[in-house]
Amino acid sequence: MEVLVLEIEDPGCFWVTMKGCGPYIVDEIEYKNLNAEMNQFYDKSYEDVDEVKPLTVKEGQICVVFSQELKCWCRAVIKSIMYCTDDYQTECFLLDYAKYVFVKSKDIRVALEAFMQIPYRAKKCRLYRTKPVTLRIDFCEDTAKIVPAKRWDSAATWYFQNLLKATTQMKVKLCAVEGNTFDVFLYVTIKDEKVCVNDDLVSKNFARFEEAKENMGSSADYQENQMSLNVECLPVKIVNPALAFRPVLFQEEVSTNLETGLAVSSSFLEETYQRSSTALNENTASIVKAIPGLPFKENRAVDTDRLQQFLNCDPLKTHIIEDDQQSVQSLSEERNFVFLSNKIEPSSVLETAPLCDDLKKELTRKKFLGPSFTESYCWPPIARGCDVVAISYEGNDPFLYIPPVLTFLQSGSCYKGLPNRSGPLALILCPGWKKAQLVFELLKTYERCSRQLHPMLIILGQNKEETRSVKIQGCEVIVTTPYSLLRLFEHQRLLFCRLCHLVLDEIEVLFSDATEEVFTILDCYKKAIVAEEWEYSPHQIIAVGTCWNKHIAHLIKEFMNDPYIVITAMEEASIYGNVQQVLQPCTYSERTAVLLKTLDFIDNNLQKVLVFTNSVNEAEMVHEALKSNSIFSLKIHKEGEFNFKYILEQWTKKYSSGTHVVLVLTDDCMQSLGIIDATCVIHFSLPSPRIFGQRLHSMSDNFCNVIEDSSVDQEYTKARSVILIAENSTCHALWILRYLQHAEAEIPPELHDFTAKMLEAEEDKKFSRPLCAYLKIFGICKNRTVCPDRHQINLQIDMPQNIPDKVTRTPACVTILPLHIVNATNYFGRIVDKQKDQYTILAEEINDYFKEPSNKTSVKNVEKLAFYGLCEETLFHRVQVVEISPKEEEDLFFKVKIKYIDEGRTSQVQSYQLLHLPARFQRLPPQAVEFVVCRVKPIDNEIEWNPKVTHYIHHKIKGKLHEAKIVHTLGNTAWVDPMVRVTRLSDLKMSVNEYNVRSEILATGLGTDNPEHITQLQKLCGHVKVLDHAKNLKPLPKKEDTADPQNVSSPQNMSVQENSTGNHNSLKITLESHPRDGVAQTKEAEEPTLHQRKCFYPEIKWFQNEETVTVKVKIASVADCKSEFSKEKVVFRACSGDKIYLADMELYQYILPEKSTCVIKDKEAIIVLMKEKKGAWCKLLKKKNPHVSFDFDHWEDFEDKSPFPVGTKKLYCTTAVTEELADSSEDSGTESDE
């Protein structure tokens, strides 16, 4: 289509108007008519100009303005607002003319819907797939090359403008629309020659052509050969061009005048316009216009249920309510805040960073992007040798300290006064071997940029001989862990004699996992400094981390010298500043009342109060509530007039003692106001954690200096943060609880209870995930909240697999063959049958089959989860395809991820390597079993095995037969203790135990005893959760069989047991006996899976009327409730926390099962039984049970509502009570909850 250029910024941003006729083109006559109608309406229709003037003006607002240059009224969007002495001016962009103009406030009018029906005349365009380049000069390598750039070079823009000025005709080919921008191929005609501007810029090295995911050739080839737009090749979404640049219509939004309170909507103006103008006859609605492309935000109704109902709700049904100002928050999260104890001039550019030149060159060569925000503040003081504490979201990045420390170590003259002994100059303490390995590798990478430092990585176990053999002569930097360092210090007492730099990496982890050890090292360092009397030598302590820790204050006060404290995580800065955190649970509807109450009881010293809201509506509502209660308050939000000067004047005024100034605001105003002296922050609505910290930054001037006075009590803190948490804040409950625990604040019990349910709900979401590897290997997972895997038993997944039935019934000794070593205690392999091993026979048959060349048939169509054969060297294996990449699936040859089903390892192979596997070779189930060696774990609170141990065990056990006793099984995992290598001496007819695997691990010095391993697994199995479809269980059999106590399975053997018929659908439930009864009863229950469970009989109270019996089952926080009704019995099951309850009630008389129900109300289950025959029951159960009693609370109710005579009523009611009292003297043989 032909176009006319209106305005040019650069090849990536220029405006055109379309000429001619077409389905997406508006004729110029329509724009002229629109312009005439707008001029007529805004010039003459209103006698009172105020009726069409906007009451408020904000950036991004669509309006109509008068252009002095064009002498007409134009549609425009407000870009910026500039306040003058008594008025303001706005910079506007004219949407039909692509011009920027300055307009006075008196020339701004409300835009009516009738004037917004046709698209804007100016269309914003950019050259399709044509990206800017620039010439980069590399001073390190003395080279110059053209590289991609973020913005267009001035020479490219100048050439582009001149090219378009010289053209006689311009056409565009529309390729895509992204947001409000057209991606086009631009063709110009110059002296009868047609030129593609996209290709012309690329050919002259002003731009580069960005290829799509598939190779499309050059832009010209693409344009000539493509008849239709290929959607899959475009990097952006294709939309209807007719809809682009059409004004977006929002819901009605009422603007309120801040001074008069007068509200006016655009619907009023529309009706007035219809009355006064006959030229426009369209029906209009009440709307407000906005810039095309801005996200639409719908007002959502908010639930106002009581807090108690909210806290008791089902966490799985909790809806996470998105913040109304999500786009504002994402914008605010990009802004950076910093808290500094001393002034620091940041170095935000690598060229000016305080690093040595060689290091800068190396970082440039490795394409280092430059110091991050936190690094820009940390590097200068570290490079000067000062003590530094840095707390940041990136606090686990070693680059916070490595470059400046290496720079300081370059100056050898600083260390001339040190004693002439062997010992390191710098010591880096890491929380574990894995982090230490990472830091050491970084040092090795960048040590070439400095003098020879000979860094050493020292990870030592409990083997004293290995510790004695460590030589540190010539080493100037040691990377280690606190435990390893102290073991080394026992044998090398001069370790600290030359130490100048002590770095504590991930300080919060060091203090939480090794507090005593870290302070011991600090004491040794301090004593060495005093003993050596270093007058002219540096001594520096650097502590970096992601969270503040209470021990850091002691570190600063006792061991550091006027440290620089850099905190870019503002929520952590508030903990450092001893900000008092107060949590106020309330319902959504009660928030305003709680806010007013909070302000009434606020301390007189807390004079400056900020009330943060998440939306403009909330800010207006809170402000009105404060005014109506005679509380002096200010407000500011993005839709109000930005009179920052007035707000700040009122805020900074000096008020008399006891006077409070309250400012109500939204988060997007924080940066502009720059307030840092607030004394109290009230979170009327909760934001994301990052924005929460930025709110707290508003009180940074009042943060206490915990270093100068570490005994500051929270009662006398200068700053307070009040959090209002309502039922719509469920998405924030977990992080709020963790933060308050971290801040050691007082936490209401309601929040504890609810977050416990939330955590349980999160765990339930993982129910189909694999069982956590840490849980299997060590019996405990330290990071449950962030671990993606399951931490509870799933009976469907955890049924025994690939393990012989005789092994699962009782602990048994088996022969195992480890084939794939995951780590020191976790292996995959096979259980070998010594008499007749089926897999050995199968392996021989498979190898014989594939020896025939004709049988090696490659698979043409590879299917996921299908079984195939694979040749590896001279052996053939059975494999299963577990993953096929979607991108590679279309290629002729592609890689697939496979699993060796008889060995347990995984690998990637080419698809053509897979061979067709006959069905007879697939009949034997997969033989790979996962083995875990019990009762051993890594030393020093590590959560992963050191590679030294894994490497040692790998070479010792792989491919060798071992004897092992299986003590526990779940799914395809068997826990073994012990696992022994047995050598048979055939000549002497005896066997010798070569080694015990667990003992070998302990002997390395890198493993320690883990006595709770199996106990934790058994405890886990005791908390079995039945799947949802278990509610379809069949009724329990009536007959109760008493089992001999000796025949009851041991609770320590948690293996799944098969019944005599081999039916895997029956579950054996053991009801353990009451303490006064030595007999255990067993019930055969129809369940989808098999497992042992310990159950309790709940407390039951009952009452009746003529037609029904009401049974109240008293269980605190009942969950997973299931009831089964038959004519003469009721079976009730439920869970509460760690306990499982089962009530098998054989009723005194018959009921109607189809009309009986069970509901949960007020934390207890209520069962309503419909009697088959009307009348009174003298008791509830046929057999006596001490846990069942009559409910005396309903005695009077029963009498009042009974249709029977009073005398009769009392007669059978008394009988029921007498029967129940008599029953209470006997036991039922079922364990109670007490």
Side-chain angles (χ1 to χ4, degrees), residues 1127-1142:
K1127 191 173 183 180
E1128 59 183 5
K1129 77 183 306 180
V1130 176
V1131 179
F1132 173 85
R1133 297 178 178 83
C1135 296
S1136 176
D1138 297 338
K1139 295 182 179 179
I1140 301 173
Y1141 293 85
L1142 174 65

Side-chain angles (χ1 to χ4, degrees), residues 314-376:
D314 183 359
L316 289 175
K317 297 180 181 178
T318 301
H319 298 286
I320 296 178
I321 300 177
E322 296 179 357
D323 296 328
D324 291 336
Q325 299 296 319
Q326 186 176 3
S327 60
V328 175
Q329 290 185 12
S330 62
L331 179 64
S332 298
E333 286 181 0
E334 296 175 2
R335 299 167 180 167
N336 294 310
F337 294 82
V338 62
F339 174 82
L340 303 170
S341 62
N342 298 306
K343 186 178 179 181
I344 300 174
E345 193 64 37
S347 298
S348 56
V349 183
L350 184 60
E351 285 74 10
T352 61
L355 307 179
C356 59
D357 292 338
D358 290 338
L359 185 55
K360 287 181 184 178
K361 289 181 180 179
E362 182 67 16
L363 290 172
T364 304
R365 193 178 68 82
K366 291 186 175 294
K367 295 180 171 54
F368 181 68
L369 298 178
S372 66
F373 180 72
T374 308
E375 289 167 352
S376 68

Side-chain angles (χ1 to χ4, degrees), residues 230 303 337 653 756 955 976 1018 1181:
N230 187 348
D303 185 18
F337 294 82
K653 268 186 183 179
H955 285 277
V976 295
Q1018 291 172 349
L1181 306 179

Side-chain angles (χ1 to χ4, degrees), residues 918-964:
R920 69 176 186 272
F921 297 143
Q922 301 181 30
R923 290 171 188 158
L924 185 69
Q927 297 295 293
V929 175
E930 183 181 20
F931 300 106
V932 177
V933 174
C934 299
R935 297 188 302 113
V936 63
K937 63 181 179 180
I939 59 172
D940 304 342
N941 294 321
E942 295 276 5
I943 60 172
E944 293 187 36
W945 283 106
N946 191 300
K948 292 181 184 177
V949 194
T950 301
H951 183 75
Y952 172 73
I953 295 298
H954 177 275
H955 285 277
K956 198 165 190 72
I957 71 172
K958 185 178 179 182
K960 299 177 183 177
L961 292 173
H962 292 74
E963 300 298 320

Side-chain angles (χ1 to χ4, degrees), residues 1098-1110:
E1099 179 187 357
I1100 293 176
K1101 290 192 174 185
W1102 70 283
F1103 60 94
Q1104 62 178 319
N1105 60 25
E1106 183 185 12
E1107 298 178 348
T1108 64
V1109 174
T1110 302

Side-chain angles (χ1 to χ4, degrees), residues 475-515:
C475 167
E476 296 194 356
V477 181
I478 288 180
V479 184
T480 185
T481 65
Y483 295 97
S484 296
L485 182 69
L486 291 179
R487 293 184 188 113
L488 180 64
F489 184 60
E490 289 180 6
H491 301 279
Q492 307 215 14
R493 305 304 294 183
L494 299 178
L495 192 62
F496 294 92
C497 69
R498 287 171 49 86
L499 187 63
C500 296
H501 310 275
L502 176 59
V503 180
L504 305 175
D505 194 313
E506 294 189 43
I507 184 66
E508 74 282 0
V509 183
L510 289 174
F511 274 139
S512 62
D513 291 351
T515 310

Side-chain angles (χ1 to χ4, degrees), residues 638-776:
K638 64 174 185 173
E639 294 185 6
E641 293 187 8
F642 285 157
N643 197 347
F644 289 108
K645 184 177 179 182
Y646 172 74
I647 295 291
L648 291 174
E649 281 178 358
Q650 295 297 316
W651 181 262
T652 54
K653 268 186 183 179
K654 288 191 176 181
Y655 295 93
S656 59
S657 178
T659 303
H660 300 147
V661 55
V662 181
L663 173 58
V664 183
L665 71 162
T666 51
D667 294 314
D668 52 333
C669 299
M670 275 191 294
Q671 184 85 351
S672 303
L673 288 172
I675 293 174
I676 58 174
D677 62 341
T679 52
C680 180
V681 163
I682 300 177
H683 309 273
F684 190 78
S685 299
L686 284 174
S688 65
R690 188 72 63 90
I691 299 295
F692 179 79
Q694 293 176 8
R695 289 178 176 182
L696 297 178
H697 181 260
S698 303
M699 301 185 288
S700 55
D701 268 8
N702 291 304
F703 287 176
C704 296
N705 192 332
V706 296
I707 312 310
E708 294 179 0
D709 185 8
S710 58
S711 62
V712 174
D713 192 354
Q714 283 233 332
E715 284 187 35
Y716 304 102
T717 54
K718 297 179 183 178
R720 180 181 300 169
S721 167
V722 182
I723 304 168
L724 306 186
I725 183 167
E727 68 271 18
N728 67 334
S729 304
T730 54
C731 56
H732 303 291
L734 287 178
W735 74 259
I736 283 291
L737 175 67
R738 294 190 189 113
Y739 178 72
L740 293 178
Q741 288 174 335
H742 177 43
E744 298 183 350
E746 184 176 348
I747 304 172
E750 302 97 322
L751 185 61
H752 270 300
D753 296 340
F754 179 72
T755 49
K757 292 181 182 179
M758 289 286 290
L759 288 171
E760 185 177 352
E762 290 296 320
E763 281 296 326
D764 289 341
K765 292 178 184 177
K766 308 174 187 176
F767 206 51
S768 60
R769 293 279 305 165
L771 189 63
C772 172
Y774 294 105
L775 211 58
K776 291 193 288 188

Side-chain angles (χ1 to χ4, degrees), residues 766-827:
K766 308 174 187 176
F767 206 51
S768 60
R769 293 279 305 165
L771 189 63
C772 172
Y774 294 105
L775 211 58
K776 291 193 288 188
I777 298 171
F778 306 128
I780 188 171
C781 177
K782 291 184 178 181
N783 300 310
R784 285 196 174 208
T785 55
V786 296
C787 178
D789 290 330
R790 175 168 51 93
H791 300 92
Q792 56 188 354
I793 300 300
N794 182 334
L795 297 177
Q796 274 193 333
I797 299 175
D798 295 328
M799 285 285 291
Q801 305 167 18
N802 310 337
I803 301 175
D805 296 339
K806 62 182 180 182
V807 174
T808 63
R809 292 195 190 100
T810 56
C813 290
V814 295
T815 302
I816 65 175
L817 180 65
L819 296 170
H820 173 53
I821 313 302
V822 179
N823 57 47
T825 56
N826 187 205
Y827 332 120

